[in-house]
Amino acid sequence: MATVGEGGREPGLTRQESVNSAARPLELCVYLADDMPVPLVVENGAGVTAGELCHYLQEAHGLPTLANDVFALWLISSRLELQLKPRHQPYRLCRQWPDLLYRFTDCPLSHIHDDVPALIYRRNVFFPKSREAEVKATQPMVTNTEMLGLLYREAKGNVLAERYPCDPAVLTQLGVLTCAIELGPHDPAQHTAARIKTSLSEYLPPHMCKSGGVSGGGLLSGLLSRGTSGGGSRPPARELVLLQGYENLCREQGAEACTQRTPLFTQYLHICQQLPYYGCAFFSGEVERPAGGGMLRLVGAGRKPVLVAISLEGIYIIDVKEKHVLLGLRHTELSWDVTGPDEEHPDDAHALWLEFDGTEDGAAVNRLLKVYSKQAELMNGMIEHCMELSHTTPATPLNSVAPVTPVTSSDPEEPGVITGPSSEGGAPNTASTEAGARGRRRRGKLQRQESVLDSRVEQLSTISYVDDGKELRRVKPRRAASFFSRQPSVSGKAYATVAATDGTGDGAP
């Protein structure tokens, strides 16, 4: 076998074997969402398809035929994730992995051949959330628990890996359910706060495991707790909160629920399904930071890394460092295009452009966001396929149940200064003195975001413009990029540009 892949997994396939061995039996290993290996021996060797492997896995685990719709086969490494179509041949794609890395990632050439993907059996990104109810309602108890367990372990992995940004209260609620699932009925003699503390990372994501109480943690909370006197007190430690919630859950639902686990799987998944990015495909990218004063000037504008989460319902830009949503849009709320290097502009970067509604000085405008990514072509294909499926599959509403808050695509009431590409393209312009002063006057007191799911458009560098019927007119600042018209073709719901009114804009681009 070749070198060990991501997370210590052995690679699912080896590239060194000859393609001519397609008719020979082939030993390979497929991993479930929790890294559990499933060794397989397939008779048709290198010619086996992803659909055939999924069928083998479905039979091996005694899953119903619905599993072939719920789950799909993925090729995953630390640099690239690809969901395979049923007709794809994983062996051949593995041999092409260096080419795929070169095309869709910034992996250094010296490391390309060291990166080996693993075959992962996990949720099909094109399986609607609305159909997951079938898993609970129509399947026998044994297969129901098995399928729900696979979905739970994948969702839990995304929560702990901070791919699913959640508010602290939601993360605590999920952590309590994880305690009940992993530990079973509560036993005061065994399940103590000390035991939970030693394995806190199995229940909460890293930023929640840092020192401090449930209200924040870290240096700031420590300083605040030291500075309090009289009635001030330090928030309870996270392990104490989890333990108390675990005890209450087992007391309210009974030991049988914690033993069977199926109700707990259902509760955990129900919470995750309210998150707009549940079941999304994730892509890496970067966006421009808005130029501004104060600390932003010290730090510099530059770019910030983001995750681009795309589902059947919409697209979400997630701040990798801060673990919150920067922008959330349904497919019907945007227009998009993809650009990249060409003969005239060989230095241009691959990018996905998103166009959506916004406001500028109280007036409605169109906004344009550029997401830099070598995976822009993959994102484009994903969006297009979601549009095609939207004609036959109704989108799941992003209704949420407390304490989860839905993503909104509206601008904040107090947007910051907006910048965009310069006339040369590429680097952002600095905002004018007048615009900067106006932005500072508006900002006033720092306002804490109510939820990590709330869009933070003020933290993005966007271009604002209006359509006056003959030409696209910039609001601020001037632009060099062209606009586009690729939109979802959903009758009556397609994104439409904002028409100009008297006094709007500062001239033609």
Side-chain angles (χ1 to χ4, degrees), residues 78-96:
S78 59
R79 300 183 180 273
L80 184 63
E81 301 182 5
L82 296 177
Q83 177 175 311
L84 308 187
K85 297 179 180 179
R87 61 177 173 80
H88 282 151
Q89 297 176 334
Y91 180 86
R92 300 179 188 276
L93 283 177
C94 186
R95 292 175 62 86
Q96 298 170 8

Side-chain angles (χ1 to χ4, degrees), residues 108-251:
L109 291 177
S110 58
H111 295 165
I112 278 183
H113 288 279
D114 296 329
D115 186 88
V116 180
L119 277 172
I120 313 293
Y121 185 67
R122 70 182 195 183
R123 192 184 187 280
N124 179 0
V125 72
F126 300 113
F127 185 74
K129 287 193 288 187
S130 58
R131 287 194 61 197
E132 282 200 18
E134 297 179 32
V135 179
K136 301 188 290 288
T138 64
Q139 304 304 323
M141 180 61 71
V142 175
T143 56
N144 179 35
T145 301
E146 183 71 21
M147 291 183 67
L148 289 175
L150 291 174
L151 292 171
Y152 155 74
R153 286 189 283 273
E154 180 177 342
K156 173 191 169 187
N158 282 320
V159 169
L160 297 183
E162 301 180 311
R163 281 189 158 191
Y164 289 173
C166 300
D167 294 320
V170 178
L171 291 172
T172 300
Q173 188 177 359
L174 293 174
V176 168
L177 287 168
T178 302
C179 287
I181 292 171
E182 306 296 340
L183 301 178
H186 179 256
D187 182 351
Q190 297 184 34
H191 305 141
T192 63
R195 176 176 175 180
I196 292 179
K197 183 176 182 179
T198 58
S199 55
L200 200 58
S201 60
E202 297 179 15
Y203 312 117
L204 297 173
H207 77 276
M208 288 279 286
C209 295
K210 296 177 181 177
S211 60
V214 295
S215 64
L219 176 62
L220 182 57
S221 67
L223 292 175
L224 291 175
S225 64
R226 290 174 196 165
T228 57
S229 58
S233 61
R234 186 181 183 88
R238 302 193 192 281
E239 61 271 15
L240 294 177
V241 175
L242 288 181
L243 179 61
Q244 185 62 54
Y246 174 31
E247 292 177 355
N248 294 339
L249 180 68
C250 291
R251 182 171 57 253

Side-chain angles (χ1 to χ4, degrees), residues 129 132 136 148 151-152 155-156 159 164-178 181 249 253 262-279 396-407 453:
K129 287 193 288 187
E132 282 200 18
K136 301 188 290 288
L148 289 175
L151 292 171
Y152 155 74
K156 173 191 169 187
V159 169
Y164 289 173
C166 300
D167 294 320
V170 178
L171 291 172
T172 300
Q173 188 177 359
L174 293 174
V176 168
L177 287 168
T178 302
I181 292 171
L249 180 68
Q253 299 194 10
T262 299
L264 300 175
F265 287 156
T266 302
Q267 292 178 59
Y268 193 101
L269 290 171
H270 178 69
I271 295 173
C272 291
Q273 286 162 5
Q274 311 311 308
L275 301 170
Y277 21 79
Y278 173 78
T396 303
L398 297 186
N399 297 331
S400 60
V401 292
V404 181
T405 306
V407 167
L453 281 76

